[in-house]
């Protein structure tokens, strides 16, 4: 199954539907049932001590799975997270962007399940792991 949206189409959709995240993420790769998204780490993503905050890592994982779903089914603004789990495994490298490697495990008519591994840019060990389930609204 090939993606139906490429990087420019996904970027245009996100810019139109979610302007509040502009400049925070970069879609680096899209393939069948997978994407790679970069969090462009900035001051507002950091918690005291200079570490990327948990909410910022959660946002990256959530967006990455959403983008993976959109890439496969097309623009669907109302697909929503119905379940989420995240494990924070180690401290991200200070000042480094975060890279989220995402794959869809199941893409059904009404539910999609995905998992992510988040790495500090240049790091070999994941800093977080997340799994999420999305509800896909009925299509006419």
């Amino acid at each position: 199954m090939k993606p139906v949206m490429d990087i420019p189409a996904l970027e245009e959709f996100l810019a139109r539907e979610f302007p509040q995240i502009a400049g925070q993420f970069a879609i680096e790769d899209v393939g069948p049932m997978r994407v790679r998204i970069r969090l462009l780490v900035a001051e507002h993503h950091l918690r005291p001590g200079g570490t990327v905050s948990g909410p910022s890592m959660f946002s990256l994982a959530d967006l990455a799975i959403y983008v993976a779903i959109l890439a496969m089914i097309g623009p669907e603004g109302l697909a929503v997270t119905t379940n989420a789990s995240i494990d924070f495994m180690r401290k991200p490298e200070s000042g480094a962007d975060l890279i989220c490697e995402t794959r869809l495990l199941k893409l059904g008519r009404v539910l999609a399940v995905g998992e992510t591994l988040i790495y500090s840019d240049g790091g070999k060990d994941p800093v977080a792991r997340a799994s999420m389930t999305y509800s896909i609204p009925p299509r006419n």
Side-chain angles (χ1 to χ4, degrees):
M1 182 175 198
K2 292 174 61 172
V4 298
M5 293 181 79
D6 60 10
I7 292 173
L10 289 161
E11 290 173 337
E12 188 276 324
F13 175 81
L14 291 174
R16 183 180 67 245
E17 298 296 326
F18 299 98
Q20 65 272 25
I21 65 168
Q24 293 187 54
F25 303 95
I27 303 170
E28 295 189 337
D29 187 42
V30 174
M33 303 286 280
R34 63 172 179 72
V35 298
R36 184 176 60 245
I37 309 281
R38 176 182 295 264
L39 172 65
L40 304 168
V41 174
E43 186 70 28
H44 64 274
H45 296 117
L46 304 180
R47 63 182 302 275
T51 299
V52 176
S53 70
S56 294
M57 286 190 268
F58 182 90
S59 294
L60 172 59
D62 194 34
L63 177 74
I65 291 175
Y66 181 61
V67 168
I69 294 166
L70 293 179
M72 298 307 295
I73 69 170
E76 179 52 70
L78 296 178
V80 295
T81 310
T82 60
N83 188 49
S85 174
I86 189 165
D87 297 306
F88 301 103
M89 300 186 291
R90 58 187 49 83
K91 182 179 174 181
E93 295 293 323
S94 182
D97 287 349
L98 295 182
I99 309 297
C100 188
E101 297 283 350
T102 301
R103 67 184 181 128
L104 297 179
L105 303 174
K106 176 189 191 261
L107 182 59
R109 279 187 315 103
V110 295
L111 288 179
V113 178
E115 69 177 6
T116 68
L117 288 174
I118 299 174
Y119 299 86
S120 290
D121 191 16
K124 65 178 181 68
D125 295 321
V127 299
R129 182 208 66 84
S131 62
M132 296 184 187
T133 302
Y134 264 76
S135 175
I136 301 168
R139 301 187 133 223
N140 296 330

